[in-house]
């Protein structure tokens, strides 16, 4: 036996769960304490004098526009929900893509196996 550590599936799963919980806490709770100041682009546009030329994006009326959930009156709850939804959607998309690529990368079993 070698002296290296053995990584068990359970240990890997625990790491994923801890990472997911941390991402959800940051997105749902810590995001409330983010700066209310304009982002870098808005700040630069205001200083350069062309902020007034800005137009709404095509997604301006979407349910998660402007870092909040439409229909939720509490700013704190709205921003936290938007963050949690964003983390979950990203997880589903990345997980689905990973599964798709993993299946696609496997070669079919041959008769010699």
């Amino acid at each position: 036996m070698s002296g290296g550590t053995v990584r068990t599936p359970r240990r890997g799963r625990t790491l994923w769960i801890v990472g997911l919980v941390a991402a959800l806490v940051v997105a749902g709770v810590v995001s409330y304490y983010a700066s209310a100041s304009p982002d870098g682009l808005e700040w630069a546009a205001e200083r350069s004098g062309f902020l007034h030329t800005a137009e709404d994006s095509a997604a301006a009326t979407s349910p998660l526009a402007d870092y909040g959930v439409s229909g939720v009156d509490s700013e704190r709850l709205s921003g936290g929900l938007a963050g949690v939804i964003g983390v979950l959607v990203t997880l589903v998309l990345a997980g689905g893509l990973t599964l798709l690529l993993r299946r696609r990368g496997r070669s079919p079993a041959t008769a010699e196996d």
Side-chain angles (χ1 to χ4, degrees), residues 14-105:
T14 301
L15 181 63
W16 276 101
I17 291 171
V18 168
L20 176 62
V21 169
L24 291 171
V25 167
V26 168
V29 178
V30 178
S31 64
Y32 176 75
Y33 300 101
S35 175
S37 301
D39 64 21
L41 180 60
E42 288 178 353
W43 178 83
E46 186 176 9
R47 287 200 46 141
S48 300
F50 66 89
L51 182 62
H52 66 281
T53 64
E55 296 180 10
D56 283 340
S57 73
T61 58
S62 71
L64 297 175
D66 207 20
Y67 306 105
V69 176
S70 63
V72 177
D73 295 332
S74 168
E75 188 175 327
R76 174 179 256 175
L77 181 60
S78 176
L81 281 174
V84 168
I85 291 168
V87 166
L88 295 176
V89 167
T90 302
L91 178 67
V92 167
L93 291 175
L97 183 61
T98 300
L99 289 174
L100 179 69
L101 292 175
R102 185 179 289 169
R103 284 186 185 156
R104 190 173 186 209

